[in-house]
Amino acid sequence: MPVGDRTDVFAGVAADVPDALAEHLRAVDLVDHHVHGTFNEAVDRAGFEAAINEGSTDPVPSFMTQFDSPLGLAIRRWCAPVLDLEPLAGADEYWSRRAEFGPDELSERFLRAAGVSRWVVDTGFKGDLITTPGQMTALSGVPSSEILRLERLTEDLLEAGTSPRDYPEAFRSALDEAVADQGTVGVKTIAAYRVGFDVDWSRPSEATAVDSAERLVARGAPLRVDDPALIAFGVHEAAERGLPIQVHVGFGDRDLDLHRTDPLLLLPLLRAMTPVPVLLLHCYPFQRQAGYLAQAFDHVNFDVGLAINYLGPRSTSVVAEALDTAPFAKQLYSSDAFGPPELHLLGSILWRRAMGLVLGDWVRAGDCTEADAIRIVDMIGVHNAERVYGL
């Protein structure tokens, strides 16, 4: 398949979808509002299979392969044609063909086929292993914007020698620089991984922030922000500057306590913070709670990005549940792809397919017109991100 040719790769989204809606889903260019880079070096099969398992950090056991998972099945179904294979090519055949390409060739093929008009890139995790936003732009041919990770900013400042006494002002200055940088469109907190959501979200005093920074530095490098006061300090400072704030919610690596990442635990923060746009990311299995919060708070938005890829054939169900209660103007598209460029394409394909199937049923039942369905696709896939981030 020629690089950038998405005619064949999106053909599957037309099945069982009304004609005008199917045509629009094949053609629309999405804004991927939360994504990471692609691998910048070749990985072996073990590394690839580890990268398509979100939860475990252990090697894949000898009795199984990650190709035998919902995500692995979806890769074989939807990504094989990009490598000039038949849909559902076997795992060994898929890997043998994939291994013929270098990392840049793979990234270019999959990124250009994804039908994305802009990447909003979080660079705060394993940045040495993945492409930068600039490299993403070069490989895909479309622009990239950046998200600043708040915990990483604190760690960088203190590891670079900022004294705890000077930390609050240094943090504020760094945020001001981010606001002035047209390439940075928002911030992110990974409180879900570091402390959970059942913590004190009130705004810490200056003295509390300094004391927390002192305790962190005293532990020695490498620093890891896991103090609720430091995390709350960062979130409130970012909100005061009007920056959209992404919040990892739910599904993720096993080092988070999933039951402490229910977004309903964020109610004290949402009620008290400066009302800037809050973007609840991924949300599975809490997509209905996220939908409620998006309905209840004007500044809350959400996506189900990461879950779409990992649910594979069942991704239509999570997209349908995300549409249960929340206004369509409060949902966004994301892939949350990291590493294998297949994930950057797959999120786009599975989201288009799910939206076509769900909204197609609504059209056939007389619950909305095809024009309504197309407008909903454009809101969630493009316009909401443009509005929230000022793109």
Side-chain angles (χ1 to χ4, degrees), residues 328-371:
F328 308 129
K330 310 298 285 301
Q331 302 183 46
L332 290 80
Y333 164 74
S334 83
S335 66
D336 191 40
F338 177 99
E342 284 94 334
L343 304 183
H344 297 71
L345 169 64
L346 191 59
S348 173
I349 292 175
L350 293 178
W351 183 82
R352 294 170 200 261
R353 176 174 178 266
M355 291 293 284
L357 292 174
V358 174
L359 295 177
D361 282 346
W362 293 8
V363 171
R364 283 188 289 270
D367 293 321
C368 71
T369 67
E370 271 195 90

Side-chain angles (χ1 to χ4, degrees), residues 365-385:
D367 293 321
C368 71
T369 67
E370 271 195 90
D372 290 325
I374 289 170
R375 189 163 48 84
I376 293 167
V377 166
D378 286 346
M379 280 192 282
I380 299 175
V382 185
H383 301 319
N384 296 342

Side-chain angles (χ1 to χ4, degrees), residues 39-340:
F39 281 139
N40 56 24
E41 294 185 2
V43 296
D44 60 13
R45 180 163 174 173
F48 177 82
E49 292 203 29
I52 60 172
N53 178 11
E54 177 69 13
S56 177
T57 55
D58 295 335
V60 179
S62 59
F63 62 81
M64 62 172 285
T65 169
Q66 283 297 335
F67 278 104
D68 288 335
S69 68
L71 174 52
L73 192 64
I75 288 172
R76 291 175 47 224
R77 166 63 182 91
W78 298 102
C79 297
V82 182
L83 300 181
D84 308 312
L85 298 171
E86 290 298 315
L88 293 174
D92 291 343
E93 182 184 5
Y94 184 91
W95 181 256
S96 177
R97 173 60 173 163
R98 189 188 194 279
E100 297 175 12
F101 297 90
D104 285 354
E105 294 176 286
L106 286 168
S107 293
E108 190 170 358
R109 281 200 170 218
F110 285 107
L111 294 180
R112 290 180 181 253
V116 168
S117 64
R118 180 180 291 268
W119 313 98
V120 182
V121 186
D122 172 10
T123 60
F125 180 64
K126 295 185 177 180
D128 57 324
L129 302 180
I130 56 176
T131 50
T132 66
Q135 291 168 329
M136 288 274 287
T137 291
L139 291 166
S140 65
V142 301
S144 300
S145 300
E146 292 189 45
I147 294 294
L148 176 68
R149 192 176 286 200
L150 295 173
E151 291 81 7
R152 183 71 257 169
L153 175 59
T154 291
E155 292 158 358
D156 287 345
L157 287 171
L158 294 174
E159 287 179 348
T162 300
S163 73
R165 182 185 59 190
D166 297 332
Y167 161 72
E169 187 55 39
F171 189 90
R172 284 190 284 264
S173 295
L175 285 181
D176 290 338
E177 290 180 14
V179 172
D181 179 2
Q182 296 301 309
T184 301
V185 297
V187 300
K188 178 185 178 182
T189 176
I190 53 168
Y193 282 97
R194 300 299 179 84
V195 297
F197 296 155
D198 50 347
V199 297
D200 182 1
W201 282 106
S202 60
R203 186 168 189 163
S205 68
E206 197 97 349
T208 298
V210 170
D211 289 344
S212 295
E214 286 178 343
R215 288 193 297 271
L216 179 62
V217 170
R219 282 159 40 184
L223 302 183
R224 186 177 189 273
V225 173
D226 55 6
D227 185 305
L230 282 178
I231 291 174
F233 175 80
V235 169
H236 283 285
E237 290 292 339
E240 188 174 86
R241 282 153 181 79
L243 289 165
I245 300 173
Q246 297 182 348
V247 184
H248 179 107
V249 171
F251 187 51
D253 300 341
R254 70 184 187 193
D255 58 342
L256 61 72
D257 295 327
L258 187 62
H259 65 288
R260 300 179 65 202
T261 65
D262 184 330
L264 293 180
L265 295 171
L266 294 171
L267 278 167
L269 173 64
L270 297 174
R271 289 168 175 154
M273 68 183 292
T274 302
V276 298
V278 172
L279 294 306
L280 305 177
L281 306 175
H282 325 318
C283 297
Y284 183 82
F286 305 115
Q287 60 270 13
R288 284 180 161 141
Q289 289 92 322
Y292 160 74
L293 292 173
Q295 182 186 64
F297 292 88
D298 290 345
H299 60 297
V300 173
N301 311 265
F302 77 108
D303 71 47
V304 289
L306 178 66
I308 291 174
N309 273 342
Y310 281 90
L311 267 64
R314 287 283 296 157
S315 55
T316 300
S317 65
V318 74
V319 170
E321 289 180 0
L323 295 168
D324 277 356
T325 60
F328 308 129
K330 310 298 285 301
Q331 302 183 46
L332 290 80
Y333 164 74
S334 83
S335 66
D336 191 40
F338 177 99

